[in-house]
Amino acid sequence: MSKSAQKILDTAERLFNKNSFVGVGVDLIRDESGCSKTTMYTYYKNKDQLVQSVLKARDQKFKQSLLQYIGTDEGISAINKIFDWHMNWFQQDSFKGCLFVRAVAESNQSDQDIISISKSHKQWIKELISQHCLLAGHQDLSELIYTLIEGLISRFLVDGFDTNIADQLKRHVNNFYF
């Protein structure tokens, strides 16, 4: 990918995360990235294609970061690392909730590509949790843990991160089930 295309993509991701998909126009992305409209449309034919590219790039960064954090751990150790990775994310200044959920919420039902990319992202997380719950001998917990993490994305976005709640939930899940 060219430097210009990457700069447009990074700028669009930052702006979409900060302001929403609907609230950010291509002119703002162009101005913030320092690229011309011609350059932008050379790499991304329209805003929908740019949104799709942002989501695909975000998905790859998310997967790479989470898998690197888990490392070679398996089972309950990996589940704990998945949980911890999310808790670290929730505390970052740039945390504005899940960009994939927001993309679906702001899209039209006709935006099947955006919805499909978002569903695929969530399915990957769900399968990762399921795989490690199976290795821990508790496949039945995968839906609960997935739903807990997804719910915490909304809770900590709205209420702000609370270390006591995060620690309490992790302790309860580990003590009760593992």
Side-chain angles (χ1 to χ4, degrees):
M1 178 178 291
S2 75
K3 286 183 182 181
S4 294
Q6 188 63 53
K7 187 167 186 168
I8 293 166
L9 194 64
D10 292 343
T11 301
E13 180 181 2
R14 179 178 51 78
L15 291 171
F16 291 150
N17 188 57
K18 181 180 178 187
N19 301 309
S20 80
F21 293 97
V22 175
V24 173
V26 292
D27 289 341
L28 179 59
I29 296 167
R30 178 205 62 215
D31 293 347
E32 291 274 328
S33 69
C35 295
S36 70
K37 236 182 197 179
T38 303
T39 301
M40 186 178 329
Y41 287 120
T42 297
Y43 297 111
Y44 307 101
K45 66 180 182 179
N46 56 41
K47 186 176 175 183
D48 282 346
Q49 186 185 44
L50 181 56
V51 169
Q52 291 170 32
S53 296
V54 163
L55 291 173
K56 288 175 184 175
R58 179 92 164 210
D59 177 62
Q60 289 304 310
K61 286 189 274 187
F62 180 98
K63 288 175 180 176
Q64 180 182 6
S65 177
L66 184 54
L67 289 174
Q68 183 177 11
Y69 192 83
I70 294 169
T72 59
D73 289 8
E74 294 182 338
I76 186 59
S77 179
I79 294 294
N80 282 323
K81 284 202 170 181
I82 292 168
F83 192 86
D84 291 343
W85 183 94
H86 280 84
M87 295 308 115
N88 291 333
W89 174 44
F90 300 156
Q91 296 175 71
Q92 292 177 5
D93 290 337
S94 62
F95 175 68
K96 301 288 185 200
C98 179
L99 198 60
F100 298 93
V101 170
R102 291 172 45 211
V104 171
E106 294 182 38
S107 69
N108 300 318
Q109 290 300 330
S110 61
D111 295 332
Q112 287 303 308
D113 291 334
I114 291 170
I115 293 168
S116 177
I117 293 165
S118 298
K119 281 184 177 182
S120 177
H121 173 78
K122 293 298 183 180
Q123 186 62 37
W124 181 85
I125 298 166
K126 193 175 184 179
E127 288 173 4
L128 180 68
I129 291 168
S130 179
Q131 169 193 350
H132 289 291
C133 282
L134 179 64
L135 290 170
H138 288 283
Q139 179 63 34
D140 55 324
L141 293 180
S142 65
E143 285 292 329
L144 177 68
I145 293 169
Y146 170 74
T147 303
L148 174 64
I149 289 172
E150 287 297 314
L152 288 174
I153 293 171
S154 296
R155 180 173 185 174
F156 289 146
L157 175 64
V158 173
D159 296 342
F161 183 77
D162 186 322
T163 304
N164 293 329
I165 291 172
D167 291 345
Q168 180 182 29
L169 290 170
K170 184 176 176 181
R171 204 172 37 255
H172 283 312
V173 168
N174 280 311
N175 291 339
F176 188 71
Y177 294 108
F178 299 104

